Amino acid sequence: MASERHGLVGVIGSDFIRNAKLPLFLLAIIVVSATCVVTVVYQTRLLIAQKNDREKQINALDVEWRNLLLEEKVLGERSRVENNAIKHLHMQYVDSKKENIVMIQ
């Protein structure tokens, strides 16, 4: 038996398998747990980036909405409507002499 030669890596490997099953199992659990933590952190960062993008879109839409409200107010002003009616449609106010009242009985 003294003449047999065994490789160092083989001896260490067989010793781990025979005597160190619990530490190897715990090492595997630690590696799996660390991988899960890295995955969850990565997904969390992606979700935070998406949330920030959505907030930017909401702010941009809010600004656009306010601008549209201002534009609607400006375009709907009575004086502007009257000026456009007079200039472009050649409308005018009715004299009381030319006014006809229709009464339905």
Side-chain angles (χ1 to χ4, degrees):
M1 265 226 232
S3 64
E4 289 184 29
R5 294 195 57 140
H6 298 286
L8 181 61
V9 175
V11 171
I12 292 173
S14 64
D15 189 39
F16 264 169
I17 292 173
R18 270 189 271 128
N19 300 323
K21 290 181 182 174
L22 181 63
L24 286 176
F25 176 72
L26 292 177
L27 177 66
I29 295 296
I30 288 171
V31 169
V32 169
S33 174
T35 304
C36 290
V37 167
V38 169
T39 303
V40 168
V41 168
Y42 176 74
Q43 290 175 349
T44 303
R45 288 182 180 173
L46 284 178
L47 289 174
I48 289 172
Q50 287 177 354
K51 177 183 171 264
N52 290 338
D53 289 342
R54 298 292 186 259
E55 286 177 351
K56 287 178 185 178
Q57 288 176 351
I58 288 172
N59 288 338
L61 289 173
D62 189 42
V63 168
E64 184 178 353
W65 171 251
R66 290 179 189 191
N67 287 339
L68 288 172
L69 286 177
L70 287 173
E71 184 179 354
E72 180 184 22
K73 185 177 179 180
V74 168
L75 291 175
E77 286 183 358
R78 183 179 175 99
S79 61
R80 185 177 184 284
V81 172
E82 287 178 1
N83 287 338
N84 282 340
I86 292 170
K87 285 181 185 177
H88 300 292
L89 301 175
H90 306 292
M91 297 176 90
Q92 57 186 336
Y93 288 105
V94 178
D95 293 336
S96 59
K97 296 175 186 175
K98 296 180 181 178
E99 188 174 301
N100 293 329
I101 299 175
V102 177
M103 298 181 79
I104 300 176
Q105 294 179 348

